[in-house]
């Protein structure tokens, strides 16, 4: 997330933190560089200008405070201002106290609305909000079928239940589907609306009519995080046309420059509530401006790391592994496989490493962390018999050759894994 921007901003600020004394000229030069990097990341010009001026005003006072490292003070100011640009505080969904909470997803075609609808439904299901999905895109071929497939994947019903019951125009279809979802005791109803290639009058008229017909509690813009300045223009268009309560940014796991995220709140005033960080159904994260500001400045996000671990890891299995690792017998390859699967459940290695403090974008580039390598290791361990996993010392040359062939890997890889496993077991016994 924001890899390029993070790398440039941390490099610019590092030059300040390395000095014991700062002059106003030092801060001006650093802010000029930061301004350039923000504009290169496609942050709105007006947002960038306001950001730099606010930091400059506060930084002059920070330089005068001799008791505190001025460079660290400037970094803190930049962190706070980035968090403010992103919305300041974490904002969740606003749920209705009575009746189902209707959530209208709006955006352009190709922004990822349908996939995001399923991801959001999965998250709400885990939060015991009993979600239902409504396919309101009658223009795009197979849009309903796509939503039905995604709904089945996350275990959430799609309304209306029968194709014939939803015939007619969108304004007839959607209110009927919402009523059906309410009868099915859905507490939240996510409406996946139609998108267009460009914002046009027909799209806005349809959305205004849908808003009036369904009285949604939330109108969320689903915007492609890779579109930069276009995302800001799109957000402004939807805000003026239909009124937004929040935004969801998608594709932030790709080569997103960060401009959309840093500009949308500043331009529209609406908070970013979620971000999409992958293609899997669980790749939707609540957006916390303070934590994301820390990630951008290479300060990590320990809270997100703990939350991710708590959500994906089996606490009992982890305790069993710890006890066995510290025992006289030590960990065997079967235990190692359990630990490996728990690690894989947390997501891509680089994404997890990026949450650690001190691991900046440049450090991540140097890490040779290939997620396929974990799959190769898993294949090697699964090619062993239970007895071989329990006692790797019985693995003779012929057995290693058999395991390599079974896993589709080389004998050298099998040998390397066994050497690394033995080293890890020794280290665990010492601690």
């Amino acid at each position: 997330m924001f890899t390029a921007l993070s790398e440039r901003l941390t490099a610019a600020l590092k030059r300040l933190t390395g000095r014991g004394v700062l002059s106003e000229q030092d801060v001006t030069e650093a802010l000029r560089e930061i301004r350039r990097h923000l504009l290169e990341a496609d942050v709105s010009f007006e947002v960038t200008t306001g950001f730099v001026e606010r930091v400059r005003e506060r930084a002059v006072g920070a330089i005068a405070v001799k008791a505190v490292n001025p460079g660290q003070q400037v970094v803190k100011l930049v962190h706070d201002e980035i968090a403010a640009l992103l919305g300041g505080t974490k904002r969740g969904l606003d749920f209705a106290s009575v009746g189902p909470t209707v959530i209208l997803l709006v955006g352009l075609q190709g922004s990822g609305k349908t996939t995001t609808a399923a991801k959001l439904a999965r998250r709400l299901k885990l939060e015991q909000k009993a979600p239902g999905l409504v396919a309101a895109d009658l223009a795009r071929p197979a849009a309903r079928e796509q939503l039905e497939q995604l709904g089945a994947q996350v275990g959430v019903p799609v309304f209306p239940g029968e194709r014939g019951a939803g015939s007619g125009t969108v304004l007839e279809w959607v209110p009927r589907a919402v009523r059906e979802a309410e009868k099915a005791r859905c507490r939240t109803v996510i409406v996946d609306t139609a998108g267009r290639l460009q914002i046009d009058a027909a799209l806005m008229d349809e959305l205004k009519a849908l808003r009036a017909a369904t009285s949604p509690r939330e109108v969320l813009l689903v915007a492609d995080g890779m579109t930069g300045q276009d995302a800001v223009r799109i957000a402004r268009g939807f805000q003026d046309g239909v009124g937004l309560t929040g935004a969801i940014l998608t594709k932030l796991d790709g080569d997103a420059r960060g401009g959309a995220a840093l500009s949308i709140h500043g331009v529209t005033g609406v908070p970013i509530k979620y971000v999409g960080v992958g293609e899997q159904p669980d790749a939707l994260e609540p957006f916390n401006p303070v934590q994301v500001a820390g990630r951008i400045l290479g300060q990590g996000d320990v809270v997100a790391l703990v939350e991710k671990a708590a959500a994906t890891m089996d606490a009992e299995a982890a305790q069993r592994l710890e006890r066995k690792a510290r025992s006289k017998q030590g960990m065997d390859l079967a235990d190692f496989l359990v630990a490996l699967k728990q690690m894989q459940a947390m997501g891509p290695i680089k994404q997890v490493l990026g949450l650690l403090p001190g691991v900046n974008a440049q450090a991540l580039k140097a890490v040779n962390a290939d997620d396929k390598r974990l799959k190769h290791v898993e294949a090697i361990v699964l090619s062993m018999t239970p007895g071989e996993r329990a006692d790797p010392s019985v693995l003779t040359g012929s057995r290693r050759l058999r395991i390599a062939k079974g896993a589709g890997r080389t004998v050298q890889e099998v040998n390397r894994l066994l050497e690394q496993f033995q080293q890890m077991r020794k280290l665990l016994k010492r601690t």
Side-chain angles (χ1 to χ4, degrees):
M1 194 189 292
F2 315 126
T3 305
L5 180 61
S6 173
E7 185 178 338
R8 290 167 182 168
L9 289 186
T10 50
L13 291 170
K14 193 173 182 179
R15 285 192 278 276
L16 293 181
T17 54
R19 300 181 185 179
V21 178
L22 286 183
S23 66
E24 196 168 333
Q25 181 63 27
D26 294 330
V27 174
T28 300
E29 288 176 7
L31 288 178
R32 188 182 298 122
E33 195 174 344
I34 289 171
R35 180 179 182 275
R36 188 178 78 252
H37 293 325
L38 290 173
L39 292 174
E40 286 172 353
D42 236 350
V43 179
S44 160
F45 178 78
E46 56 186 295
V47 170
T48 300
T49 302
F51 171 84
V52 170
E53 287 307 313
R54 286 193 301 274
V55 173
R56 190 194 310 279
E57 287 174 13
R58 296 177 64 190
V60 171
I63 294 169
V65 180
K66 302 296 183 185
V68 183
N69 183 301
Q72 295 292 348
Q73 279 287 83
V74 173
V75 172
K76 175 72 165 59
L77 292 178
V78 172
H79 173 277
D80 292 347
E81 284 300 330
I82 289 177
L85 274 188
L86 294 168
T89 57
K90 182 180 177 182
R91 297 275 296 278
L93 296 176
D94 182 21
F95 294 98
S97 54
V98 179
T101 299
V102 179
I103 301 169
L104 211 61
L105 297 187
V106 303
L108 298 189
Q109 188 175 321
S111 60
K113 285 192 310 302
T114 304
T115 306
T116 300
K119 289 179 181 179
L120 182 58
R122 178 189 176 278
R123 176 166 282 277
L124 292 176
K125 183 182 177 183
L126 292 174
E127 294 173 3
Q128 309 299 318
K129 299 295 184 184
L133 290 162
V134 173
D137 187 351
L138 305 185
R140 183 165 62 90
R144 179 190 167 94
E145 286 77 4
Q146 182 190 1
L147 192 64
E148 285 176 341
Q149 288 178 2
L150 291 169
Q153 193 177 348
V154 298
V156 173
V158 177
F159 299 96
E162 298 177 12
R163 298 293 177 91
S167 59
T169 65
V170 171
L171 292 179
E172 294 169 337
W173 169 292
V174 175
R176 198 178 301 157
V178 171
R179 288 195 297 271
E180 190 178 317
E182 187 175 2
K183 286 179 184 176
R185 298 182 181 275
C186 289
R187 293 173 59 196
T188 51
V189 182
I190 302 165
V191 182
D192 176 28
T193 66
R196 301 287 189 276
L197 292 174
Q198 296 294 333
I199 297 177
D200 55 25
L203 172 64
M204 287 305 167
D205 289 344
E206 181 180 284
L207 290 175
K208 284 177 186 174
L210 269 179
R211 179 163 193 163
T214 58
S215 302
R217 194 79 175 186
E218 294 275 8
V219 181
L220 302 179
L221 171 70
V222 180
D224 186 339
M226 297 178 71
T227 54
Q229 281 296 295
D230 273 350
V232 177
R233 180 182 55 80
I234 292 160
R236 190 176 268 146
F238 277 98
Q239 174 75 330
D240 295 342
V242 69
L244 300 172
T245 61
I248 299 176
L249 287 182
T250 62
K251 307 175 188 177
L252 284 189
D253 57 318
D255 189 23
R257 288 183 287 180
L262 290 168
S263 301
I264 281 182
H265 175 75
V267 169
T268 65
V270 301
I272 300 167
K273 300 204 171 182
Y274 294 96
V275 289
V277 291
E279 296 179 4
Q280 298 303 314
D282 61 347
L284 186 73
E285 296 181 355
F287 188 80
N288 188 318
V290 175
Q291 293 175 8
V292 172
R295 288 197 217 180
I296 291 173
L297 296 181
Q299 297 169 358
D301 188 352
V302 176
V303 174
L305 182 63
V306 172
E307 288 174 351
K308 191 183 281 281
T312 57
M313 296 185 80
D314 184 340
E316 288 185 15
Q319 287 175 353
R320 282 198 303 271
L321 284 174
E322 184 184 3
R323 285 196 298 270
K324 190 151 185 198
R326 294 177 185 276
S327 68
K328 189 176 288 186
Q329 180 188 358
M331 202 175 179
D332 61 27
L333 281 164
D335 303 319
F336 179 67
L337 188 61
V338 172
L340 192 66
K341 286 182 176 178
Q342 291 210 358
M343 190 188 300
Q344 287 175 323
M346 289 182 69
I349 299 173
K350 284 201 174 183
Q351 202 176 91
V352 175
L353 289 176
L355 300 177
L356 294 171
V359 180
N360 55 32
Q362 274 188 317
L364 280 178
K365 279 184 180 179
V367 174
N368 184 19
D370 185 0
D371 290 286
K372 289 181 182 178
R373 167 74 181 141
L374 293 181
K375 292 289 184 184
H376 297 164
V377 170
E378 185 179 355
I380 291 170
V381 177
L382 289 174
S383 295
M384 299 176 187
T385 65
E388 289 168 342
R389 288 178 216 158
D391 185 11
S393 65
V394 303
L395 292 174
T396 59
S398 59
R399 289 191 179 202
R400 295 184 187 205
L401 180 61
R402 189 206 77 234
I403 291 165
K405 286 181 178 178
R409 309 310 304 165
T410 64
V411 176
Q412 287 78 9
E413 284 183 77
V414 176
N415 292 337
R416 195 182 310 124
L417 168 63
L418 293 171
E419 286 171 13
Q420 290 170 344
F421 173 71
Q422 292 297 344
Q423 289 170 0
M424 182 189 72
R425 189 150 70 167
K426 286 177 184 176
L427 284 171
L428 287 171
K429 283 186 176 181
R430 285 178 195 166
T431 56

